[in-house]
Amino acid sequence: MFAIPHLDIPPLTSAGGTVRLPGSKSISNRVLLLAALSLGHTDITDLLDSDDTRVMLEALARLGCRIEPQADGALRVHGLGGELPVRQGQLFLGNAGTAMRPLTASLALLAARHGGAFELGGVPRMHERPIGDLVDALRQLGCPVHCLVSEGYPPLRLGDGSTHALKLDKAIRVRGDVSSQFLTALLLALPLVAQAQDVVIEVVGELISRPYIEITLNLLERFGVAVRRDGWQRFTIPAGSQYRSPGRIAVEGDASSASYFIALGAIAPATPGTDGITIEGVGLSSIQGDIHFVEAARLMGAHVEGEANRLHIRRGSWPLKAIDLDCNHIPDAAMTLAVMALYADGTTTLRNIASWRVKETDRIAAMANECRKLGATVEEGADCIRITPPASAQAWRAASIHTYDDHRIAMCFSLAAFNPARLPVRIEDPKCVAKTFPDYFEALFDVCATPAALIPVICVDGPTASGKGTLASELAQRLGYQLLDSGALYRATALAAQDAGVALDDEPALARLAAQLPLAFRDHKVFLGGRDITDPLRLESTGGMASRVSQHLAVRSALHALQQSFRRLPGLVADGRDMGTVIFPDATLKVFLTATAEQRAQRRHKQLISKGFAANIDSLLADLQARDLRDSSRTHAPLKPAEDALQLDNSGMDIEESVQQVLKWWQGKTVFPGN
Ligand code: DC
């Protein structure tokens, strides 16, 4: 089996336009939990829709929390008000640290108070991510917590079904030097039990990732709990604390996700006609620590202007300036600096990033490996990384980036596609971005540009009913490419002619119609001037009319530019008659698909019957042969294989076999190691 789970990003040369960011993961999951713990209901807007928030929503629903989408797009969470309607259960939390840690703390306290018992676990990587410091803190409080497989790691059992008195008199001590998420988890949970007395948390060791604690404190306040803070060592949750819904709360755009587009604006020359990159949904008034990435990007030479809820970025110094920076305050966004360092004028050192080692993967090792594959020289320390860019354009290499199931690695390395050697970059498992930014690549390609000649095209030409359409759309889907069904353009011209009463031999009138087709493709449907023509487009009679319309040179010329405009990032699969010969003569791979006329007639017959249309196989065969003759004997762009086309007779093959064959040819055309 030859699956292609990766995405090949062609060399990119410029960028410009506006990006709207999805909601912040850290804020989304905190707000969801706070809303669930509060008294009253909360309407949440702009919530991130991703793997990690889905995991949190499912967990809350299992705990008896009612969650309802509202007509205005908000999500209404009915708070449990500190109660525990469901007393036991198993929760699967994927690889979502922002769900695992806070739920562990809250459920441990609630289970001890109400007599519950819960098991929390996730994917194998989650079971390698330490949680011992939080477990220790919860045990100090008197909560039964049992590590089911390995001490200090999930999966965990919280509570034992009986109630337990909590020890709230002494300060609760928690380590702050491995992950700030343990402190966040306690800060979110302890207001549930701070009715009768103040509850104090003492941080042991130097607290890392402080900005995330600021997000937590900020949101606690929005939900009615004002924590007192003495430096970064001591936090007091005042007696009488109780979560109260703010009614409605908007989640701001993800500042860590913004880092990729800030870096993009700093690395890419502005696309002509644009003024660089504008980011909406997050700006200088953000409560997220990663907004300070802006300052780091400026140090490297980016030109960034900001408003409360918006950022604007242009390239400043070029090459970028190498920096030596303590990144403790921007641990996630700092990964993006590592990729910016590939475009710098010297060696960049990122320090105080020990937390990278316990994230989705060991991020220091991962960043080092992948930067080296691109041709950089990298030194790794226990809590730092030092990156020297490839010595010259020739020293860059085409790399297949391993993503370690880490969304940030996938997103960061997309920026390597601006390399001066104009090499493509392969991202293995691009779907891992779903953790925080499911549409990342679409958003990226929307604002990036590159000369058409650098965008790969696969042409699938062949006679009617040869299976081109199915093959082309399968290929496009698996490769994440755009799809051009050029026959649909001729068919739509024929329908437009029918609507307008234009005769099929009136070349000038047909060409005028073709030049201004009000055609739109949306949600797998085709619209002509607002009319859904998806079904009429596929009729045999429409195909016959299209074949006649397509004889005219003026019509073919009128559709030429429209067809070429489908050549967009990251690549195109084009199906038709003359894709390889006329429209995309420089295509990377040209396939000429054939099957015997009898086979094709049978397939078409089956297809029509399955859609409920009446069909006669003999007349289908006759029509098809007539169409073949007309399409291949016409003067302009006749149906014939391009000289450099690979021929595929799929008479004896099923769809999957044809797809596999073409993917194999395609793989042979790429420049990545191993081919
Ligand atoms: O692929 P199809 O059956 O949808 O195409 C309908 C007609 O359009 C076909 O008979 C010839 C014409 N056509 C063409 O001339 N050039 C193309 N690239 C695609 C289709």
Coordinates of all heavy atoms in Angstrom, one line a residue, residues 104-176:
T104 N -7.1 16.9 36.3 CA -6.6 16.1 37.4 C -6.8 16.8 38.7 O -7.3 16.2 39.7 CB -5.1 15.8 37.2 OG1 -5.0 15.0 36.0 CG2 -4.5 15.1 38.3
A105 N -6.4 18.0 38.8 CA -6.5 18.8 40.1 C -8.0 18.9 40.5 O -8.3 18.7 41.6 CB -5.8 20.1 39.9
S106 N -8.8 19.4 39.6 CA -10.2 19.7 39.9 C -10.9 18.4 40.3 O -11.6 18.4 41.3 CB -10.9 20.3 38.8 OG -10.3 21.5 38.4
L107 N -10.7 17.3 39.6 CA -11.4 16.1 39.9 C -10.9 15.4 41.1 O -11.6 14.8 41.9 CB -11.4 15.1 38.7 CG -12.3 15.5 37.5 CD1 -12.1 14.5 36.4 CD2 -13.7 15.6 38.0
A108 N -9.6 15.6 41.4 CA -9.1 15.0 42.6 C -9.7 15.7 43.8 O -10.1 15.0 44.8 CB -7.5 15.2 42.7
L109 N -9.9 17.0 43.8 CA -10.5 17.7 44.9 C -12.0 17.4 45.0 O -12.5 17.1 46.1 CB -10.3 19.2 44.8 CG -8.9 19.8 44.9 CD1 -8.9 21.3 44.7 CD2 -8.3 19.4 46.2
L110 N -12.7 17.4 43.9 CA -14.1 17.1 43.9 C -14.4 15.7 44.3 O -15.3 15.4 45.1 CB -14.8 17.4 42.5 CG -14.8 18.9 42.2 CD1 -15.3 19.1 40.7 CD2 -15.7 19.7 43.1
A111 N -13.5 14.7 43.9 CA -13.7 13.3 44.2 C -13.5 13.1 45.7 O -14.3 12.4 46.4 CB -12.8 12.4 43.4
A112 N -12.5 13.8 46.3 CA -12.3 13.7 47.7 C -13.4 14.3 48.5 O -13.9 13.7 49.5 CB -11.0 14.4 48.1
R113 N -13.9 15.4 48.1 CA -15.0 16.1 48.8 C -16.3 15.3 48.7 O -17.1 15.2 49.7 CB -15.2 17.5 48.3 CG -16.4 18.1 48.8 CD -16.4 19.6 48.6 NE -15.5 20.2 49.7 CZ -15.4 21.5 49.8 NH1 -16.0 22.3 49.0 NH2 -14.6 22.0 50.8
H114 N -16.7 14.8 47.5 CA -18.0 14.2 47.3 C -18.0 12.7 47.3 O -19.0 12.1 47.1 CB -18.6 14.7 45.9 CG -18.8 16.2 45.8 ND1 -19.9 16.8 46.4 CD2 -18.1 17.2 45.3 CE1 -19.8 18.1 46.2 NE2 -18.8 18.3 45.5
G115 N -16.8 12.1 47.3 CA -16.7 10.7 47.3 C -16.8 10.1 45.9 O -17.7 9.3 45.6
G116 N -16.0 10.5 45.0 CA -16.0 10.0 43.6 C -14.7 9.3 43.3 O -13.8 9.1 44.1
A117 N -14.7 8.7 42.1 CA -13.5 8.0 41.6 C -13.4 8.1 40.1 O -14.4 7.7 39.4 CB -13.6 6.5 42.1
F118 N -12.3 8.6 39.6 CA -12.2 8.8 38.1 C -10.8 8.3 37.7 O -9.8 8.4 38.4 CB -12.3 10.3 37.8 CG -13.6 10.9 38.2 CD1 -13.7 11.5 39.4 CD2 -14.7 10.8 37.3 CE1 -15.0 12.1 39.8 CE2 -15.9 11.4 37.7 CZ -16.0 12.0 38.9
E119 N -10.8 7.7 36.4 CA -9.6 7.4 35.8 C -9.3 8.3 34.6 O -10.2 8.5 33.8 CB -9.6 5.9 35.4 CG -9.4 5.0 36.5 CD -9.3 3.5 36.1 OE1 -9.1 3.2 34.9 OE2 -9.5 2.7 37.0
L120 N -8.1 8.9 34.6 CA -7.8 9.8 33.5 C -6.5 9.3 32.8 O -5.5 8.9 33.4 CB -7.4 11.2 34.1 CG -8.5 12.2 34.3 CD1 -9.6 11.6 35.2 CD2 -8.0 13.5 34.9
G121 N -6.6 9.2 31.4 CA -5.5 8.7 30.6 C -5.5 9.3 29.3 O -6.4 10.2 29.0
G122 N -4.6 8.9 28.4 CA -4.5 9.5 27.1 C -3.8 8.6 26.1 O -3.7 7.4 26.3
V123 N -3.2 9.2 25.1 CA -2.4 8.5 24.1 C -1.1 8.1 24.8 O -0.7 8.7 25.8 CB -2.2 9.3 22.8 CG1 -3.5 9.7 22.2 CG2 -1.4 10.6 23.2
P124 N -0.3 7.2 24.2 CA 1.0 6.8 24.8 C 1.9 7.9 25.1 O 2.5 7.9 26.2 CB 1.6 5.8 23.7 CG 0.4 5.3 23.0 CD -0.6 6.4 23.0
R125 N 2.0 8.9 24.3 CA 2.9 10.1 24.6 C 2.4 10.8 25.9 O 3.2 11.2 26.7 CB 2.9 11.1 23.4 CG 3.7 12.4 23.7 CD 5.2 12.2 24.0 NE 5.8 13.4 24.5 CZ 7.0 13.4 25.0 NH1 7.7 12.3 25.2 NH2 7.5 14.6 25.4
M126 N 1.1 10.9 26.1 CA 0.6 11.5 27.3 C 1.1 10.7 28.5 O 1.4 11.3 29.6 CB -0.9 11.5 27.3 CG -1.6 12.1 28.5 SD -1.1 13.8 28.8 CE -2.5 14.6 28.1
H127 N 1.2 9.4 28.4 CA 1.7 8.6 29.5 C 3.2 8.7 29.8 O 3.7 8.1 30.7 CB 1.2 7.2 29.3 CG -0.3 7.0 29.3 ND1 -0.9 5.9 28.9 CD2 -1.3 7.9 29.5 CE1 -2.2 6.1 28.9 NE2 -2.5 7.3 29.3
E128 N 3.9 9.5 28.9 CA 5.3 9.7 29.1 C 5.5 11.1 29.6 O 6.7 11.5 29.8 CB 6.1 9.6 27.7 CG 6.1 8.2 27.2 CD 6.6 8.2 25.7 OE1 7.0 9.3 25.2 OE2 6.7 7.1 25.1
R129 N 4.5 11.9 29.7 CA 4.6 13.3 30.1 C 4.4 13.4 31.7 O 3.4 13.0 32.2 CB 3.6 14.2 29.4 CG 3.9 14.2 27.9 CD 2.9 15.0 27.1 NE 2.9 16.4 27.3 CZ 2.1 17.3 26.8 NH1 1.2 16.9 25.9 NH2 2.2 18.6 27.0
P130 N 5.5 13.9 32.4 CA 5.4 13.8 33.9 C 4.3 14.6 34.5 O 4.0 15.7 34.0 CB 6.8 14.4 34.3 CG 7.3 15.0 33.1 CD 6.7 14.4 31.9
I131 N 3.7 14.1 35.5 CA 2.7 14.8 36.3 C 2.9 14.6 37.8 O 2.1 15.0 38.6 CB 1.3 14.3 35.8 CG1 0.2 15.3 36.2 CG2 1.0 12.9 36.3 CD1 -1.1 15.1 35.5
G132 N 4.1 14.0 38.1 CA 4.4 13.7 39.5 C 4.3 14.9 40.5 O 3.8 14.8 41.6
D133 N 4.8 16.0 40.0 CA 4.8 17.2 40.9 C 3.3 17.6 41.3 O 3.1 18.0 42.4 CB 5.5 18.4 40.2 CG 6.9 18.1 40.0 OD1 7.5 17.3 40.8 OD2 7.5 18.6 39.0
L134 N 2.4 17.4 40.4 CA 1.0 17.7 40.7 C 0.4 16.7 41.6 O -0.3 17.0 42.5 CB 0.2 17.9 39.4 CG -1.3 18.2 39.5 CD1 -1.5 19.5 40.3 CD2 -2.0 18.2 38.2
V135 N 0.8 15.4 41.3 CA 0.3 14.3 42.1 C 0.8 14.5 43.6 O 0.0 14.4 44.5 CB 0.8 13.0 41.6 CG1 0.6 11.8 42.5 CG2 0.1 12.7 40.2
D136 N 2.0 14.9 43.7 CA 2.5 15.2 45.1 C 1.7 16.2 45.8 O 1.4 16.1 47.0 CB 4.0 15.6 45.0 CG 4.9 14.5 44.6 OD1 4.5 13.4 44.6 OD2 6.1 14.8 44.2
A137 N 1.5 17.3 45.1 CA 0.7 18.4 45.7 C -0.7 18.0 46.1 O -1.2 18.3 47.2 CB 0.6 19.6 44.7
L138 N -1.3 17.2 45.3 CA -2.7 16.7 45.6 C -2.7 15.8 46.8 O -3.6 15.8 47.6 CB -3.3 16.1 44.3 CG -3.6 17.1 43.2 CD1 -3.9 16.3 41.9 CD2 -4.7 18.0 43.6
R139 N -1.6 15.0 46.9 CA -1.5 14.0 48.0 C -1.3 14.8 49.3 O -1.9 14.5 50.3 CB -0.4 13.0 47.8 CG -0.8 12.0 46.8 CD 0.3 11.0 46.5 NE -0.1 10.0 45.5 CZ 0.8 9.3 44.8 NH1 2.1 9.5 45.0 NH2 0.4 8.5 43.9
Q140 N -0.5 15.9 49.2 CA -0.4 16.8 50.4 C -1.7 17.3 50.9 O -1.9 17.4 52.1 CB 0.4 18.0 50.1 CG 1.9 17.9 49.9 CD 2.4 19.2 49.3 OE1 2.1 20.3 49.8 NE2 3.2 19.2 48.2
L141 N -2.6 17.5 50.0 CA -3.9 18.0 50.3 C -4.8 16.9 50.9 O -5.9 17.2 51.4 CB -4.6 18.6 49.1 CG -4.2 20.0 48.7 CD1 -4.4 20.2 47.2 CD2 -5.0 21.0 49.5
G142 N -4.4 15.7 50.8 CA -5.2 14.6 51.3 C -6.1 13.9 50.3 O -7.0 13.2 50.6
C143 N -5.8 14.2 49.0 CA -6.6 13.5 47.9 C -6.0 12.2 47.6 O -4.8 12.1 47.3 CB -6.5 14.4 46.6 SG -7.2 16.0 46.8
P144 N -6.7 11.1 47.5 CA -6.2 9.8 47.0 C -5.9 9.9 45.5 O -6.8 10.2 44.7 CB -7.3 8.8 47.3 CG -8.4 9.5 48.1 CD -8.2 11.0 47.9
V145 N -4.6 9.8 45.2 CA -4.2 9.8 43.8 C -3.3 8.6 43.5 O -2.3 8.4 44.2 CB -3.5 11.1 43.4 CG1 -3.1 11.0 41.9 CG2 -4.3 12.3 43.7
H146 N -3.7 7.8 42.6 CA -3.0 6.5 42.3 C -2.5 6.6 40.9 O -3.3 6.7 39.9 CB -3.9 5.4 42.6 CG -3.3 4.0 42.4 ND1 -2.2 3.6 43.1 CD2 -3.6 3.0 41.6 CE1 -1.8 2.4 42.7 NE2 -2.7 2.0 41.8
C147 N -1.1 6.4 40.7 CA -0.6 6.3 39.3 C -0.7 4.9 38.9 O -0.2 4.0 39.5 CB 0.9 6.8 39.2 SG 1.1 8.4 39.8
L148 N -1.5 4.6 37.8 CA -1.9 3.2 37.5 C -0.8 2.4 36.9 O -0.8 1.2 37.0 CB -3.1 3.3 36.6 CG -4.4 3.8 37.2 CD1 -5.5 4.1 36.2 CD2 -4.9 2.8 38.3
V149 N 0.1 3.0 36.2 CA 1.1 2.2 35.5 C 2.5 2.6 36.1 O 3.3 1.7 36.5 CB 1.1 2.5 34.0 CG1 2.3 1.7 33.3 CG2 -0.2 2.0 33.4
S150 N 2.8 3.8 36.1 CA 4.2 4.2 36.5 C 4.1 5.5 37.4 O 3.3 6.4 37.1 CB 4.9 4.5 35.2 OG 6.2 5.0 35.5
E151 N 4.8 5.4 38.5 CA 4.7 6.5 39.5 C 5.1 7.8 38.8 O 6.1 7.9 38.2 CB 5.6 6.2 40.7 CG 5.4 7.2 41.9 CD 4.0 7.3 42.4 OE1 3.2 6.4 42.3 OE2 3.7 8.5 42.8
G152 N 4.2 8.8 39.0 CA 4.6 10.1 38.4 C 4.1 10.4 37.0 O 4.3 11.5 36.5
Y153 N 3.4 9.4 36.4 CA 2.9 9.6 35.1 C 1.4 9.1 35.0 O 1.0 8.2 35.7 CB 3.7 8.7 34.1 CG 5.2 9.2 34.0 CD1 6.1 8.8 35.0 CD2 5.5 10.2 33.1 CE1 7.4 9.3 35.0 CE2 6.8 10.7 33.1 CZ 7.8 10.2 34.0 OH 9.0 10.7 34.0
P154 N 0.7 9.7 34.0 CA -0.7 9.2 33.7 C -0.5 7.8 33.2 O 0.6 7.5 32.7 CB -1.2 10.1 32.7 CG -0.3 11.3 32.7 CD 1.0 10.9 33.2
P155 N -1.5 6.9 33.2 CA -2.9 7.2 33.6 C -3.0 7.2 35.2 O -2.1 6.6 35.8 CB -3.7 6.0 33.1 CG -2.7 4.9 32.9 CD -1.4 5.6 32.6
L156 N -4.0 7.9 35.6 CA -4.2 8.2 37.1 C -5.5 7.7 37.5 O -6.5 7.8 36.7 CB -4.1 9.7 37.4 CG -2.8 10.4 36.9 CD1 -3.1 11.9 37.2 CD2 -1.6 9.9 37.7
R157 N -5.6 7.3 38.8 CA -7.0 7.1 39.4 C -7.1 8.2 40.5 O -6.2 8.3 41.4 CB -7.2 5.8 40.0 CG -8.7 5.6 40.5 CD -9.2 4.3 40.7 NE -8.4 3.6 41.7 CZ -7.8 2.4 41.5 NH1 -7.9 1.8 40.4 NH2 -7.1 1.9 42.5
L158 N -8.1 9.0 40.4 CA -8.4 10.1 41.4 C -9.5 9.7 42.3 O -10.6 9.3 41.8 CB -8.7 11.4 40.6 CG -7.7 11.7 39.5 CD1 -8.3 12.9 38.7 CD2 -6.4 12.0 40.1
G159 N -9.3 9.7 43.6 CA -10.4 9.4 44.5 C -10.6 7.9 44.6 O -10.1 7.1 43.8
D160 N -11.3 7.5 45.7 CA -11.5 6.0 45.9 C -12.9 5.7 46.2 O -13.3 4.7 46.8 CB -10.6 5.5 47.0 CG -10.8 6.3 48.3 OD1 -11.8 7.1 48.4 OD2 -10.0 6.1 49.2
G161 N -13.8 6.7 45.9 CA -15.2 6.5 46.1 C -15.7 7.0 47.5 O -16.9 7.1 47.7
S162 N -14.8 7.2 48.4 CA -15.2 7.7 49.7 C -14.8 9.2 49.8 O -14.0 9.7 49.1 CB -14.4 7.0 50.9 OG -14.0 5.7 50.5
T163 N -15.4 9.8 50.8 CA -15.1 11.3 51.0 C -13.8 11.3 51.9 O -13.5 10.5 52.7 CB -16.2 12.0 51.7 OG1 -16.5 11.3 52.9 CG2 -17.4 12.1 50.8
H164 N -13.1 12.4 51.7 CA -11.8 12.6 52.5 C -11.8 14.1 52.9 O -12.1 15.0 52.1 CB -10.6 12.3 51.6 CG -10.5 10.8 51.3 ND1 -9.8 9.9 52.0 CD2 -11.1 10.1 50.3 CE1 -9.9 8.7 51.4 NE2 -10.7 8.8 50.4
A165 N -11.4 14.3 54.2 CA -11.2 15.7 54.6 C -9.9 16.3 53.9 O -8.9 15.6 53.8 CB -11.1 15.7 56.1
L166 N -10.0 17.5 53.5 CA -8.8 18.1 52.8 C -8.0 18.9 53.8 O -8.5 19.5 54.7 CB -9.3 19.0 51.7 CG -10.0 18.2 50.6 CD1 -10.6 19.2 49.6 CD2 -9.1 17.3 49.8
K167 N -6.7 18.8 53.6 CA -5.8 19.5 54.6 C -5.4 20.9 53.9 O -4.5 20.9 53.1 CB -4.5 18.7 54.8 CG -4.8 17.4 55.4 CD -3.5 16.5 55.5 CE -3.9 15.1 55.5 NZ -2.9 14.2 54.9
L168 N -6.2 21.9 54.3 CA -6.0 23.2 53.7 C -5.3 24.2 54.5 O -5.1 25.3 54.1 CB -7.4 23.7 53.3 CG -8.2 22.9 52.3 CD1 -9.7 23.3 52.3 CD2 -7.6 22.8 50.9
D169 N -4.9 23.8 55.8 CA -4.3 24.7 56.7 C -2.9 25.1 56.3 O -2.5 26.3 56.4 CB -4.3 24.1 58.1 CG -5.6 23.8 58.6 OD1 -6.6 24.4 58.1 OD2 -5.8 22.9 59.5
K170 N -2.2 24.1 55.9 CA -0.8 24.4 55.5 C -0.7 24.8 54.1 O -1.5 24.4 53.3 CB 0.1 23.1 55.7 CG 0.6 22.9 57.1 CD 1.8 22.1 57.2 CE 1.9 21.0 56.2 NZ 2.2 19.7 56.6
A171 N 0.3 25.6 53.8 CA 0.5 26.0 52.4 C 0.8 24.7 51.5 O 1.5 23.8 52.0 CB 1.7 27.0 52.3
I172 N 0.2 24.7 50.4 CA 0.5 23.6 49.5 C 1.7 23.9 48.6 O 1.8 24.9 48.0 CB -0.8 23.3 48.5 CG1 -2.0 23.0 49.4 CG2 -0.5 22.2 47.5 CD1 -3.1 23.9 49.2
R173 N 2.6 22.9 48.6 CA 3.9 23.2 47.9 C 3.9 22.5 46.6 O 3.5 21.3 46.5 CB 5.1 22.7 48.8 CG 5.3 23.6 50.0 CD 6.1 22.9 51.0 NE 7.5 22.7 50.6 CZ 8.4 23.6 50.5 NH1 8.2 24.9 50.9 NH2 9.6 23.3 50.1
V174 N 4.2 23.2 45.5 CA 4.3 22.6 44.2 C 5.5 23.1 43.5 O 5.9 24.3 43.6 CB 3.0 22.9 43.4 CG1 2.8 24.4 43.1 CG2 3.0 22.1 42.1
R175 N 6.1 22.2 42.7 CA 7.3 22.6 41.9 C 6.9 23.4 40.7 O 5.9 23.1 40.1 CB 8.1 21.4 41.5 CG 9.1 20.9 42.5 CD 9.8 19.7 42.0 NE 10.6 20.1 40.8 CZ 11.4 19.2 40.2 NH1 11.5 18.0 40.7 NH2 12.1 19.5 39.2
G176 N 7.6 24.5 40.5 CA 7.3 25.3 39.3 C 8.3 25.3 38.2 O 8.2 26.0 37.3

